[in-house]
């Protein structure tokens, strides 16, 4: 009945002891600034160690999502984390002796890793020793020989017992069975271990008793204590008066751990004053010397030289302490012992090694500076400065190293990342110690940069100009608008769409179609220059990123005129196939104006320049037709009996191939003697159509006057402000500012012609405005000479977003010389150097042309075309 109660009390006492010990260790960890959990060795699976979630202030609800785990394969074999509660549990029982050997303390550093964001926490687990090993002697029977003449008080060292436990559970005392001659004395070494020594208390007499059998007991300090025993057999030998004597009772030497095998560390010397065999000294290790010492060192039996046999390793064991005995050859033999300690000096023979605890592998290019890429730990088993490790990476990389704990680093981003500039990084991490010479280790961390949609598509040009001849076929390819995107994947897939301003009258989608995959622009119908000369639209390139990015390009489409319209005769008016009667006064002289044929051509440029020619006449010598004015005059005096004359006038444009039309006049002498101008009025009461035409002509003349005046004022203002133009003045007081032409910039040709036909005798009879102009207005009127004129056209104000065109197209500067046409003037088409003479217009006209800069000069017929950038002046 009493025994169960005592056992129960003992168990409760042990529980209270462990609880107190755990409480002290737990709070001691917090005081030192480092979390430390104590746990007894051999604890069963599932034993609670500590709550890491509570201690690290982690949210228990997010532990599974953040994948809280123990880092390192070795630690993962012994510990695990319960993701539901955040508790650190034992996974497999831990044998402290196998993990830490005879070390006084057994601390296991633990690292915990979480994800999203990537973080690392540190803690320590102290494996508390449990008294699970009993002391053991190397042999069950210990033999000792003692001469009978040994004096009382002499000590004889005995082999000590070994206990795998440490601390209070290690050997705490030795006991010797009771006898009258011997006692037990215990000597404590510098490392704390106990060495038993047999103390002779009374003289021995071999003749009375030749041997003694004693029991030596080793007891540890566990609760309950454990013990081990060995039989000590003491043999009494015959007298040998003097024992060998060492020079000192203990020796201590130091040696580098890099010392080579075969090196003599020390030579021991022991003297014995006896003669003969009793004075011959032999050296040997004491019986309790461990095998690891015997394997590393060799003791010569006669010379006492201690020689190194194998390699030393400071990191495994930094010193060795053992006993050496000196025995003489007497009978009985006498011996003496000394203590020898060999200290190892550390050498920088271990390079640091790098452990990457966790790494991402892939990082988006939008990662903010300071983003953790990898967690790195470095270790160096050397000591002192040889074990101080520094970590570095190349300076040109956008990364940095941050130290959280000793030898614990975080690799973080130090600047912005750009996948388009560099899509991956091979980060070489170098760990170097502070030894002399220093040793280093390299480890490469591979990091891929994932794409983020940070680049909009870009076109090769900001704007495109496309020139399309009219009458094209539907489906023709007009242009290809290619855009590029340096991103990858869906971020680089581009689609194209057509953008049209809402305030435009003409819809671009009715003329063109856009391929959304390739950006190719096709015509959906045929263009007609007379209806549409220019078409402007925008194309948007949009990628498929999230969010998508886009850019636009402006496309200006210019329709080129083709000679697809024949001239149309306005005056004289006649139905197709009918004759236009024209009356002549009797007996008119040469040069009499019969009528003026006026025709227009809906085309522009050269295609709209019309010329007149007499095709058929009974007597061609009687009449003459002005080639460019269309005036039909008498060439000779007309006889009074001239029969009616049928004249066929052909109106031809300057296109290639040229198109023409004709009008047939029936010229006859009238009976009325009053002169009549047939082409201006046919009766005293004008018809309704002629009244409208006269009104249109008047309105046109008034509009031209107003526009010319306004342009002249603007030109003068621009010239006075120092604009880059040359002012040319004529004797009649007329000036013109000739602006520069951008012939090399590929500007389209003029889309209209403004011609003023002048007569030598009559005032302006007709103003012909044909085609469609690009917004050019007259800047200066012609000289007052009746046989020449000049008209300059300048660009109109540009639309919003359009570049300013510095000058009108080449055909916008015209010189008309009707009375004295240019004779034998070749057609020039070349670029000329500044100051080069390009030739004279006939001196009778009083005009000459000098090139002012690079310019193209055209002379066609009796028109000087494209004299922009020329100084035109009177000789």
């Amino acid at each position: 009945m009493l025994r169960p109660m005592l056992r129960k009390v003992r168990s409760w006492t042990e529980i209270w002891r462990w609880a107190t010990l755990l409480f002290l260790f737990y709070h001691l960890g917090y005081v030192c600034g480092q979390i430390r959990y104590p746990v007894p060795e051999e604890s069963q699976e599932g034993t609670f160690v500590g709550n890491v979630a509570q201690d690290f202030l982690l949210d228990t609800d997010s532990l599974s999502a953040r994948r809280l785990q123990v880092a390192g394969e070795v630690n993962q074999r012994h510990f695990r984390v319960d993701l539901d509660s955040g508790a650190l549990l034992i996974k497999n029982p831990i044998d402290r002796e196998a993990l830490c050997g005879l070390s006084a303390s057994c601390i296991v550093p633990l690292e915990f890793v979480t994800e999203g964001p990537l973080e690392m926490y540190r803690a320590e687990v102290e494996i508390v020793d449990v008294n699970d090993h009993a002391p053991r002697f190397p042999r069950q029977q210990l033999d000792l020989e003692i001469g009978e003449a040994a004096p009382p008080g002499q000590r004889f060292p005995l082999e000590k017992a070994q206990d795998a436990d440490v601390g209070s559970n290690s050997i705490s005392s030795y006991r010797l069975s009771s006898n009258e001659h011997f006692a037990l004395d215990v000597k404590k070494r510098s490392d704390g271990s106990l060495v038993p020594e047999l103390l002779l208390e009374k003289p021995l007499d071999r003749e009375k008793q030749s041997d003694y059998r004693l029991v030596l007991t080793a007891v540890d300090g566990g609760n309950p204590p454990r013990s081990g025993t060995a039989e000590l057999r003491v043999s009494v030998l015959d007298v040998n008066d003097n024992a060998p004597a060492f020079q000192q009772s203990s020796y201590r030497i130091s040696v580098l751990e890099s010392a080579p095998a075969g090196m003599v560390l020390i030579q021991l010397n022991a003297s014995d004053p006896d003669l003969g065999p009793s004075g011959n000294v032999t050296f040997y290790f004491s019986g309790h010397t461990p095998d690891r010492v015997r394997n590393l060192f060799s003791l010569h039996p006669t010379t006492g030289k201690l020689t190194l046999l194998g390699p030393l390793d400071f990191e495994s064991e930094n010193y060795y302490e053992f006993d050496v005995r000196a025995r003489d050859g007497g009978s009985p033999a006498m011996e003496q012992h000394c203590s020898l300690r060999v200290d190892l000096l550390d050498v920088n023979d271990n390079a640091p090694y790098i452990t990457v605890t966790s790494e991402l592998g892939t990082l988006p290019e939008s990662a903010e500076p300071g983003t953790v890429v990898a967690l790195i730990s470095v270790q160096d088993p050397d000591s002192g400065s040889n074990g101080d490790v520094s970590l570095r990476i190349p300076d040109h990389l956008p990364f940095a190293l941050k130290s959280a704990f000793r030898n614990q680093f975080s690799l973080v981003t130090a600047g912005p990342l750009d996948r388009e500039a560099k899509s991956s990084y091979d980060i070489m991490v170098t760990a170097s110690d502070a030894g002399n010479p220093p040793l280093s280790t390299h480890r490469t961390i591979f990091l891929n940069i994932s794409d983020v949609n940070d680049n909009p598509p870009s076109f090769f040009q900001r704007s495109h100009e496309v020139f399309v001849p009219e009458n094209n076929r539907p489906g023709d390819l007009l242009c290809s608008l290619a855009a590029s995107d340096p991103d990858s994947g869906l971020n680089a897939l581009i689609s194209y769409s057509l953008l049209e301003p809402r305030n435009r009258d003409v819809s671009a989608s009715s003329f063109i179609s856009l391929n959304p995959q390739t950006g190719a622009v096709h015509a959906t119908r045929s263009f007609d220059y007379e209806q549409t000369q220019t078409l402007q639209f925008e194309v948007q390139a949009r990628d498929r990123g999230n969010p998508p990015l886009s850019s636009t390009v402006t496309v200006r489409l210019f329709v080129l005129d083709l000679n697809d319209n024949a001239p149309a005769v306005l005056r004289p008016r006649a139905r197709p196939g009918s004759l236009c009667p024209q009356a002549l006064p009797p007996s008119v002289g040469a040069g009499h104006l019969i009528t003026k044929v006026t025709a227009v051509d809906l085309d522009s440029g050269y295609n709209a320049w019309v010329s007149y020619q007499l095709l058929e006449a009974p007597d061609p010598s009687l009449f003459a037709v002005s080639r460019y004015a269309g005036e039909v005059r008498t060439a000779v005096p007309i006889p009074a009996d001239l029969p009616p004359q049928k004249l066929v006038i052909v109106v031809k444009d300057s296109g290639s191939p040229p198109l023409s039309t004709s009008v047939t006049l029936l010229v006859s002498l009238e009976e009325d003697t009053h002169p009549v101008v047939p082409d201006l009025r046919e009766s005293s009461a004008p018809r309704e159509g002629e009244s409208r035409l006269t009104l249109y002509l008047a309105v046109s003349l008034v509009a031209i006057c107003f526009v010319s005046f306004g342009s002249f004022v603007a030109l003068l203002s621009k010239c006075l402000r120092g604009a880059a133009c040359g002012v040319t003045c004529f004797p009649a007081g007329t000036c013109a500012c000739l602006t520069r032409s951008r012939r090399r910039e590929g500007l389209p040709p003029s889309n209209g012609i403004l011609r003023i036909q002048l007569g030598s005798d009559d005032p302006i009879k007709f103003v012909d405005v044909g085609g469609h102009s690009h917004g050019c207005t007259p800047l200066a009127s012609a000289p007052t000479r009746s046989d020449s004129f000049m008209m300059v056209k300048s660009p109109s104000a540009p639309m919003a977003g359009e570049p300013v065109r510095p000058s009108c197209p080449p055909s916008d500067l015209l010189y008309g010389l009707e009375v004295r046409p240019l004779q034998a003037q070749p057609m020039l088409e070349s670029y000329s150097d500044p100051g080069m003479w390009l030739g004279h217009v006939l001196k009778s006209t009083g005009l000459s042309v000098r090139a002012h800069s690079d310019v193209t000069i055209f002379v066609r017929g009796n028109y000087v075309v494209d004299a922009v950038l020329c100084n035109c002046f009177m000789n």
Side-chain angles (χ1 to χ4, degrees):
M1 189 74 179
L2 184 59
R3 286 183 178 178
M5 292 180 64
L6 291 175
R7 194 174 300 166
K8 185 174 181 182
V9 170
R10 180 180 298 175
S11 63
W12 279 105
T13 303
E14 185 173 356
I15 291 174
W16 174 255
R17 176 175 175 271
W18 278 110
T20 305
L21 183 62
L22 290 175
F23 177 82
L24 291 176
F25 271 107
Y26 184 78
H27 285 279
L28 181 60
Y30 276 95
V31 171
C32 295
Q34 174 68 51
I35 297 178
R36 179 180 293 178
Y37 304 108
V39 61
E41 68 171 333
E42 303 296 340
S43 297
Q44 297 301 315
E45 179 182 1
T47 301
F48 176 83
V49 178
N51 194 316
V52 294
Q54 180 179 354
D55 295 336
F56 295 145
L57 303 179
L58 298 177
D59 185 8
T60 56
D61 296 335
S62 63
L63 295 181
S64 298
R66 298 189 65 183
R67 299 179 62 185
L68 175 65
Q69 59 181 335
V70 178
E73 295 181 1
V74 176
N75 293 333
Q76 288 178 354
R77 289 199 297 265
H78 300 298
F79 302 94
R80 67 180 180 89
V81 177
D82 185 5
L83 297 179
D84 295 329
S85 62
L88 178 64
L89 306 178
I90 296 294
K91 188 175 182 180
N92 291 308
I94 302 174
D95 187 359
R96 182 192 181 283
E97 288 71 27
L99 187 62
C100 300
L102 298 177
S103 177
S105 63
C106 186
I107 306 297
V108 178
L110 293 182
E111 296 176 352
F112 302 88
V113 179
T114 61
E115 298 179 358
L118 187 64
E119 294 178 341
M120 184 179 70
Y121 304 88
R122 294 189 65 191
E124 294 178 351
V125 176
E126 182 175 9
I127 309 301
V128 181
D129 185 49
V130 176
N131 191 21
D132 55 348
H133 295 86
R136 296 183 60 183
F137 287 91
R139 290 184 297 274
Q140 292 297 319
Q141 180 176 329
L142 305 178
D143 295 328
L144 181 63
E145 294 179 349
I146 301 176
E148 64 176 344
Q154 186 174 355
R155 299 171 181 270
F156 302 92
L158 303 177
E159 293 186 39
K160 65 178 182 178
Q162 301 291 334
D163 194 340
D165 297 323
V166 296
S168 61
N169 295 325
S170 63
I171 297 175
S172 62
S173 63
Y174 289 89
R175 297 196 301 264
L176 186 66
S177 58
S178 61
N179 63 89
E180 60 178 351
H181 289 88
F182 300 97
L184 187 66
D185 189 14
V186 179
K187 183 175 66 175
K188 189 173 184 180
R189 288 184 173 178
S190 59
D191 59 350
S193 62
L194 303 179
V195 178
E197 293 182 347
L198 187 64
L199 178 64
L200 181 61
E201 292 185 339
K202 290 184 179 182
L204 298 176
D205 189 355
R206 183 180 180 277
E207 287 69 29
K208 291 183 178 181
Q209 189 175 353
S210 60
D211 62 81
Y212 297 87
R213 295 183 182 272
L214 306 173
V215 177
L216 180 61
T217 303
V219 183
D220 63 16
N223 187 12
R226 293 176 179 265
S227 62
T229 60
E231 183 183 13
L232 177 61
R233 183 175 180 179
V234 180
S235 298
V236 182
L237 304 178
D238 200 8
V239 175
N240 184 10
D241 293 344
N242 297 289
F246 287 97
Q247 293 179 351
Q248 55 192 60
S249 61
S250 63
Y251 294 87
R252 185 169 184 171
I253 62 174
S254 300
V255 61
L256 294 174
E257 65 170 325
S258 60
M263 179 180 178
V264 177
L265 304 181
I266 190 174
Q267 184 173 2
L268 300 175
N269 186 20
S271 61
D272 192 328
D274 294 331
L275 299 176
S278 298
N280 297 330
V281 180
T282 303
F283 300 92
Y284 59 94
F285 292 111
S286 63
H288 60 271
T289 302
D291 292 337
R292 68 181 189 279
V293 176
R294 297 175 184 270
N295 294 332
L296 282 176
F297 305 101
S298 172
L299 183 63
H300 197 277
T302 59
T303 62
K305 291 182 179 180
L306 184 68
T307 305
L308 181 63
L309 294 179
L312 301 175
D313 188 5
F314 176 87
E315 289 70 38
S316 299
E317 196 163 359
N318 57 7
Y319 76 94
Y320 297 93
E321 189 172 7
F322 50 91
D323 290 336
V324 176
R325 293 185 177 185
R327 173 179 292 182
D328 59 21
S331 181
M334 299 187 70
E335 66 178 28
Q336 186 60 271
H337 71 279
C338 70
S339 176
L340 178 61
R341 179 183 173 115
V342 180
D343 292 323
L344 303 186
L345 301 179
D346 186 34
V347 175
N348 191 24
D349 57 345
N350 293 280
Y353 60 90
I354 303 172
T355 302
V356 179
T357 306
S358 181
E359 59 180 314
L360 294 180
T362 301
L363 191 67
E365 62 176 324
S366 60
E368 295 291 334
T371 303
V372 178
V373 177
L375 300 177
I376 305 171
S377 62
V378 292
Q379 293 180 357
D380 193 323
D382 292 326
S383 63
S385 61
N386 298 330
D388 294 338
V389 183
S390 61
L391 206 64
R392 69 180 185 273
I393 60 175
D395 296 334
H396 64 277
L397 298 178
F399 302 97
L401 289 169
K402 291 186 177 180
S403 178
F405 305 99
R406 175 179 171 82
N407 294 339
Q408 300 291 334
F409 298 88
S410 299
L411 180 63
V412 300
T413 57
L417 303 176
D418 188 0
R419 188 203 66 85
E420 290 72 34
K422 192 172 182 61
S423 60
S424 63
Y425 290 91
D426 298 338
I427 308 171
M428 179 176 288
V429 181
T430 303
S432 302
D433 58 27
N436 187 16
L439 301 178
S440 59
T441 304
H442 305 284
R443 174 72 180 270
T444 301
I445 298 176
F446 301 96
L447 180 65
N448 293 321
I449 308 300
S450 60
D451 185 46
V452 174
N453 191 26
D454 56 348
N455 292 282
S458 61
F459 290 93
F460 296 108
Q461 299 177 1
R462 288 187 175 182
S463 62
H464 285 264
E465 292 182 351
V466 182
F467 301 93
V468 181
E470 66 173 331
N471 303 325
N472 61 295
R473 293 178 302 178
D476 285 350
L477 176 65
L478 302 181
C479 64
S480 293
L481 304 174
S484 61
D485 195 321
D487 293 324
S488 63
L490 291 177
N491 298 331
L493 294 180
I494 301 174
S495 60
Y496 301 88
S497 59
L498 185 64
L499 301 180
E500 292 189 74
R502 296 182 179 180
N503 56 351
R504 293 291 178 88
D505 297 334
V506 179
S507 174
S509 59
S510 61
F511 291 91
I512 61 169
S513 64
L514 177 65
N515 190 317
Q517 282 77 31
T518 64
V521 180
H522 294 267
T524 58
R525 66 180 183 179
S526 180
F527 286 96
D528 187 0
Y529 176 85
E530 286 70 37
Q531 295 182 0
T532 304
Q533 294 80 42
T534 60
L535 186 65
Q536 180 172 320
F537 56 91
E538 290 184 349
V539 174
Q540 182 188 67
R542 184 186 183 96
D543 58 28
R544 299 187 183 179
N546 186 17
L549 302 178
S550 63
S551 62
T552 60
V553 62
T554 301
V555 181
R556 295 182 180 86
L557 188 145
F558 298 96
V559 181
L560 303 180
D561 182 43
L562 295 180
N563 191 25
D564 57 347
N565 292 282
V569 178
L570 297 179
R571 293 183 60 87
R573 305 177 61 182
R575 295 188 180 91
S578 62
L579 301 178
C580 295
Q582 299 293 330
L584 275 180
S587 303
V588 295
H592 178 76
L593 178 62
I594 301 174
T595 186
K596 179 179 176 63
V597 179
T598 302
V600 294
D601 195 317
L602 295 180
D603 295 321
S604 66
Y606 291 109
N607 298 329
W609 289 2
V610 297
S611 60
Y612 304 88
Q613 183 179 358
L614 180 61
L615 181 62
E616 294 181 8
D619 188 355
S621 62
L622 298 179
F623 304 97
V625 177
S626 176
R627 183 175 180 182
Y628 295 102
E631 296 176 350
V632 182
R633 297 178 181 271
T634 56
V636 297
I638 301 301
D641 55 351
L642 179 70
Q645 300 290 314
K646 181 180 180 182
L647 307 181
V648 178
I649 309 299
V650 174
V651 183
K652 184 187 299 184
D653 58 26
S654 300
S656 179
L659 301 179
S660 63
T661 187
S662 63
V663 61
T664 304
L665 305 178
L666 182 61
V667 180
S668 59
L669 297 176
E670 63 180 10
E671 296 179 357
D672 191 358
T673 59
H674 298 283
V676 179
V677 181
D679 57 313
L680 294 179
R681 58 184 180 275
E682 296 181 358
S683 62
S684 60
R687 290 176 296 192
E688 181 180 357
E690 295 178 354
S691 299
R692 289 184 178 178
L693 179 60
T694 303
L695 178 60
Y696 293 159
L697 292 176
V699 171
S700 300
L701 286 174
V702 172
I704 290 174
C705 291
F706 276 107
V707 171
S708 299
F709 180 76
S711 302
F712 179 75
V713 172
L715 178 63
L716 265 186
S717 175
K718 182 177 181 182
C719 292
L720 289 177
R721 288 195 304 265
C725 67
V727 178
T728 301
C729 296
F730 294 92
T734 303
C735 297
C737 178
L738 304 180
T739 59
R740 298 189 176 184
S741 176
R742 294 283 184 91
R743 188 163 191 82
R744 295 183 179 179
E745 295 184 3
L747 293 173
S750 174
N751 292 338
I753 296 176
L754 181 58
R755 293 195 303 272
I756 299 180
Q757 304 290 349
L758 299 179
S760 59
D761 300 326
D762 299 327
I764 297 177
K765 293 185 176 181
F766 190 77
V767 177
D768 180 7
V769 181
H772 301 272
S773 175
H774 277 298
C776 294
T777 58
L779 289 183
S781 60
T784 56
R785 297 167 54 98
S786 62
D787 58 351
S788 64
F789 68 93
M790 179 180 67
M791 185 63 67
V792 181
K793 297 182 181 180
S794 67
S796 61
M799 298 177 59
E802 294 185 353
V804 176
R805 291 164 51 193
S807 66
C808 290
S811 62
D812 293 340
L813 182 60
L814 307 179
Y815 289 82
L817 307 176
E818 288 297 333
V819 176
R820 298 182 179 85
L822 297 176
Q823 299 178 1
Q825 178 67 47
M827 181 172 181
L828 304 177
E829 184 174 358
S830 64
Y831 289 103
S832 302
D833 296 329
M836 177 179 289
W837 284 95
L838 301 178
H840 282 281
V841 185
L842 290 182
K843 293 183 178 180
S844 59
T845 63
L847 293 176
S848 63
V849 181
R850 180 197 294 268
H852 184 66
S853 180
D854 290 348
V855 70
T856 302
I857 297 298
F858 290 86
V859 178
R860 183 178 181 86
N862 62 348
Y863 283 83
V864 179
V865 184
D866 195 4
V868 182
L869 277 184
C870 289
N871 288 332
C872 302
F873 52 88
M874 301 295 294
N875 285 337

